[in-house]
Amino acid sequence: MTENNLTQLEEAVKFHSINKIDIAEKIYEQIIKSDEKNFNALYLLGTIKAQRQNYNEAIKLIEKSLNINKNNYLAYSNLGLIYFKENQLDKAKINYHNSILLNPNYSESYNGLATVYLEQKKYLLSMTNYKKAAKLDKKNSTYQLNIVKLLLILQKYDRAKIILNKILDLDPSNYETHYTQGINFKRLKEFQLSKNSFLKSIELNPNHEKSYNEIGYLFYLKKDFENALYYMNKSISINPGFKEGYLNIGMVNLLNENFIEGWKNFDKGKEVQKVNTKKNLWTGQLNLQNKSIFIYSEQGLGDIIQFSRYLFILKNYFKKIILKIPKSLTFLFSNINNISNGRIELVTDFKKIDDCDFHLSLMGLTLFFKQIPEEINYFNIDDELINKWSNKINKNNYNIGICWRAGKKKDLLYAEHADRRSFSLNEFSKIINLNNVKLINLQKEHNEDQKNIYYEKIKIFEEMDTDKPFLDSAAIIMNCNLIITCDTSIAHLAGTLGKKTYLLLDYNNDWRWGVNKDYSIWYKSIKIFRQDKAGFWDQPFTQVYNNIKSLL
């Protein structure tokens, strides 16, 4: 490096350090023009490209720098961060490891590596590396806060509380720590302390949209929707790109049956599935009888059952609809092509998307068809199958199909939400002892209930749905007098089949069931029973028991 280039580099670094990156960028480029092997200028120019989110160019420059000088641990660490942002997690790990090999005392590389492992849900490796970062730099509260955030994911709330108090003792002026403390208190159901923490976060940072949104959510939990919307709207006024704010506003809108605003906000806030196609997204154009559209599902099985009714409006405007659904629903939906006069075709992958003129997600249809479509039974359950199960069920009994546990197939936080919607077999204790009443299992996973004293009193069919998912369940439902279920796909299945159903909901129920009503606007055959106090099922089950007695 010439003396002139060294002086220029020092000048550029100075401008870079005070965030005058336009000036720094030009100087780095001048240095490289005169000395294309100046690895420092290449690396630093790469970091500016990364700041501008021009990640491809950043990677090229930093890798070129490392080809000249392989001993720059900072370059490897920065390259790890860029690859992480590009979701190339394996490459991110390699570069963080390279940085650590060169400098085992650089805490930021451990922190970055921990974040990669967190993204991969390798929680033990993530925690190990967060702890290494925190041990190397004890004054950096960010590393301790990252440990807390991981503990929140692992639902270790008491442990998180201890660490948060230590962080706040060292640095009480960090708004993000107060915000995280608010989240932890919320999970511990200490709602007033949670609100106080969010308010402290706002005091320290009046533009922290997440804290406003969380206060709004606390009001939502109390069913104070006016205040909930006030704080949630405040969050998006601060940050118009804040997706979570729109999603929560949408949920409150929908819960209160303000569907037009609700669908708009829900659409703005939801995570959009990336679809690999050059075909146009449908934006509501009509009179396309010579065109075709590819519809794909983004939500759970219950949502697919619920919202597929929109396809029967859509088919009036398109020559052909291709519906992508999970394989688990293909047998249940196998008749949809027949009842749509050949206008709706089922597929289980995206191969045919480029054969269509347009594409859209299933729930995206709600933006264009404002009314709730009429109920349609898309399922044609074979009479032979219904008769098969009829022979296994004693018709002299009053047969009640039951489902008591919501699925937990996603992350730990989703499992917590599923637990709130679920109830124990113990809740059926009075019902199960009614004369001539027989409870029939519709629960897919029930191994953890086998030690329950009421388990043996339930009719369990082990062979249910083994070959063709949901078909046996549907046939059993058709043979029952009544269905009792928590908020899960069984409710949508029974509702679509038109079977008399008692749906039991937790205090802060999902938006689709509305507020306070004892009926569903989506399914005429569903009667709703609600918790009057969060976490307690006594009242709704007493009401269900009294209703069943009146039916016998």
Side-chain angles (χ1 to χ4, degrees):
M1 181 186 296
T2 64
E3 187 174 338
N4 181 52
N5 281 345
L6 182 59
T7 304
Q8 282 184 298
L9 186 66
E10 289 172 346
E11 183 183 18
V13 169
K14 182 179 178 181
F15 283 119
H16 200 161
S17 67
I18 57 175
N19 207 33
K20 292 188 175 182
I21 61 174
D22 289 340
I23 300 172
E25 184 177 34
K26 288 179 182 178
I27 299 173
Y28 292 141
E29 287 171 347
Q30 288 172 3
I31 295 170
I32 294 167
K33 192 172 182 179
S34 64
D35 180 8
E36 62 182 20
K37 292 188 176 183
N38 191 311
F39 58 84
N40 283 315
L42 286 165
Y43 155 63
L44 292 167
L45 181 59
T47 63
I48 287 180
K49 298 297 183 184
Q51 283 177 265
R52 299 189 189 282
Q53 297 184 358
N54 184 352
Y55 296 129
N56 287 335
E57 189 64 26
I59 289 169
K60 288 178 185 177
L61 287 163
I62 296 174
E63 286 186 341
K64 189 174 181 180
S65 165
L66 286 166
N67 285 334
I68 299 166
N69 176 14
K70 298 185 184 298
N71 296 317
N72 188 346
Y73 68 90
L74 292 172
Y76 280 115
S77 190
N78 275 286
L79 200 52
L81 177 60
I82 295 166
Y83 275 123
F84 174 77
K85 289 181 177 179
E86 286 284 89
N87 201 34
Q88 296 187 51
L89 302 184
D90 288 335
K91 289 186 177 181
K93 281 194 294 188
I94 289 168
N95 281 282
Y96 280 129
H97 279 298
N98 286 339
S99 176
I100 290 166
L101 284 172
L102 289 168
N103 185 354
N105 296 315
Y106 185 52
S107 57
E108 193 57 35
S109 289
Y110 290 104
N111 184 65
L113 185 58
T115 304
V116 175
Y117 283 128
L118 180 62
E119 186 71 15
Q120 294 179 322
K121 293 184 169 55
K122 295 179 179 179
Y123 298 128
L124 181 59
L125 287 169
S126 180
M127 182 64 79
T128 299
N129 283 281
Y130 277 140
K131 286 182 175 179
K132 284 180 180 177
K135 187 176 181 181
L136 285 167
D137 189 353
K138 293 181 174 63
K139 293 182 180 179
N140 191 332
S141 61
T142 299
Y143 301 147
Q144 292 287 347
L145 201 55
N146 285 340
I147 291 172
V148 169
K149 290 174 182 177
L150 178 50
L151 289 170
L152 291 180
I153 292 171
L154 297 173
Q155 299 176 301
K156 305 292 185 183
Y157 305 132
D158 291 326
R159 177 62 185 156
K161 188 176 182 179
I162 294 168
I163 298 175
L164 280 163
N165 288 334
K166 288 180 180 178
I167 298 172
L168 287 169
D169 284 343
L170 294 171
D171 182 10
S173 62
N174 187 326
Y175 74 90
E176 190 177 0
T177 307
H178 287 283
Y179 167 76
T180 307
Q181 186 183 52
I183 297 293
N184 196 53
F185 279 135
K186 182 180 76 172
R187 303 278 179 80
L188 287 165
K189 295 182 171 54
E190 298 180 39
F191 296 127
Q192 188 57 51
L193 290 174
S194 176
K195 183 181 177 183
N196 293 342
S197 293
F198 293 135
L199 288 170
K200 184 64 179 179
S201 176
I202 291 169
E203 179 187 322
L204 293 166
N205 180 2
N207 292 318
H208 193 230
E209 70 274 16
K210 291 183 179 179
S211 290
Y212 283 104
N213 181 56
E214 289 294 344
I215 292 174
Y217 185 78
L218 292 175
F219 278 111
Y220 157 79
L221 291 176
K222 294 167 64 178
K223 297 190 178 180
D224 182 346
F225 301 121
E226 183 178 353
N227 276 312
L229 287 173
Y230 171 80
Y231 282 96
M232 291 169 184
N233 278 308
K234 181 73 174 176
S235 75
I236 61 171
S237 70
I238 292 169
N239 180 3
F242 182 45
K243 281 183 168 291
E244 191 176 341
Y246 286 108
L247 188 63
N248 282 343
I249 292 168
M251 293 303 179
V252 174
N253 293 151
L254 293 171
L255 186 65
N256 288 280
E257 297 179 18
N258 178 2
F259 290 114
I260 293 176
E261 288 302 311
W263 295 130
K264 286 179 183 176
N265 286 308
F266 178 85
D267 190 67
K268 285 182 182 178
K270 71 177 183 180
E271 289 296 323
V272 179
Q273 182 175 346
K274 291 183 180 179
V275 180
N276 185 22
T277 182
K278 293 181 180 179
K279 298 293 179 157
N280 291 325
L281 190 72
W282 186 57
T283 55
Q285 310 95 308
L286 301 180
N287 301 316
L288 299 170
Q289 282 83 357
N290 294 321
K291 303 292 184 182
S292 58
I293 185 168
F294 190 97
I295 302 292
Y296 49 92
S297 55
E298 295 179 302
Q299 310 295 322
L301 301 180
D303 298 288
I304 298 168
I305 295 171
Q306 179 181 357
F307 290 102
S308 288
R309 64 178 69 180
Y310 281 91
L311 299 174
F312 289 84
I313 301 177
L314 187 67
K315 75 180 181 63
N316 297 321
Y317 302 101
F318 282 91
K319 179 181 180 181
K320 186 78 173 179
I321 299 169
I322 296 180
L323 172 64
K324 179 200 169 291
I325 60 173
K327 289 182 180 179
S328 59
L329 287 179
T330 53
F331 296 105
L332 192 62
F333 274 76
S334 61
N335 194 47
I336 200 168
N337 193 30
N338 294 328
I339 63 172
S340 66
N341 298 319
R343 304 284 285 278
I344 303 173
E345 177 186 344
L346 288 182
V347 295
T348 58
D349 54 43
F350 280 95
K351 290 178 182 177
K352 288 192 176 183
I353 191 168
D354 287 328
D355 295 340
C356 295
D357 300 292
F358 297 93
H359 70 92
L360 189 70
S361 70
L362 180 60
M363 285 190 70
L365 294 171
T366 57
L367 291 169
F368 308 111
F369 302 117
K370 308 304 180 186
Q371 78 276 24
I372 294 176
E374 292 182 7
E375 291 184 58
I376 297 174
N377 181 0
Y378 337 113
F379 316 134
N380 181 20
I381 312 304
D382 187 81
D383 287 340
E384 187 177 334
L385 186 62
I386 294 173
N387 291 333
K388 169 192 167 182
W389 286 103
S390 177
N391 293 329
K392 295 173 182 285
I393 295 172
N394 186 349
K395 290 297 182 181
N396 294 321
N397 293 326
Y398 189 85
N399 294 297
I400 304 176
I402 63 169
C403 183
W404 60 92
R405 195 185 300 282
K408 300 181 181 180
K409 294 181 181 178
K410 296 185 181 179
D411 55 27
L412 290 170
L413 191 56
Y414 182 88
E416 192 175 274
H417 174 56
D419 281 339
R420 288 201 304 271
R421 291 184 286 146
S422 304
F423 36 81
S424 167
L425 279 175
N426 295 340
E427 304 293 348
F428 291 94
S429 60
K430 291 172 67 178
I431 297 169
I432 210 166
N433 288 317
L434 286 168
N435 288 334
N436 298 322
V437 166
K438 187 64 180 178
L439 302 188
I440 297 174
N441 171 58
L442 293 171
Q443 184 75 45
K444 293 290 188 296
E445 298 172 5
H446 47 78
N447 290 338
E448 58 189 288
D449 297 289
Q450 290 182 4
K451 293 182 179 179
N452 189 290
I453 59 172
Y454 298 105
Y455 184 80
E456 291 184 358
K457 296 184 179 183
I458 299 170
K459 184 68 175 177
I460 306 284
F461 295 113
E462 296 294 346
E463 72 273 24
M464 182 179 74
D465 292 333
T466 52
D467 296 325
K468 297 180 178 181
F470 284 102
L471 279 190
D472 289 326
S473 291
I476 293 170
I477 286 170
M478 295 296 286
N479 280 290
C480 287
N481 300 95
L482 173 69
I483 306 301
I484 299 176
T485 181
C486 62
D487 182 6
T488 188
S489 57
I490 290 295
H492 298 283
L493 177 57
T496 302
L497 290 169
K499 178 59 64 175
K500 185 178 184 67
T501 301
Y502 288 173
L503 172 63
L504 286 91
L505 298 178
D506 59 306
Y507 186 77
N508 296 113
N509 59 269
D510 188 79
W511 65 265
R512 75 199 69 220
W513 308 118
V515 183
N516 298 329
K517 289 186 173 74
D518 65 356
Y519 63 91
S520 166
I521 61 174
W522 295 90
Y523 304 104
K524 294 185 181 70
S525 64
I526 288 182
K527 184 176 177 64
I528 295 172
F529 300 84
R530 302 172 183 272
Q531 285 184 347
D532 62 344
K533 185 179 179 182
F536 293 88
W537 292 103
D538 293 355
Q539 188 211 26
F541 264 94
T542 297
Q543 292 175 328
V544 166
Y545 172 76
N546 291 331
N547 271 261
I548 293 171
K549 279 178 63 178
S550 70
L551 294 172
L552 296 176

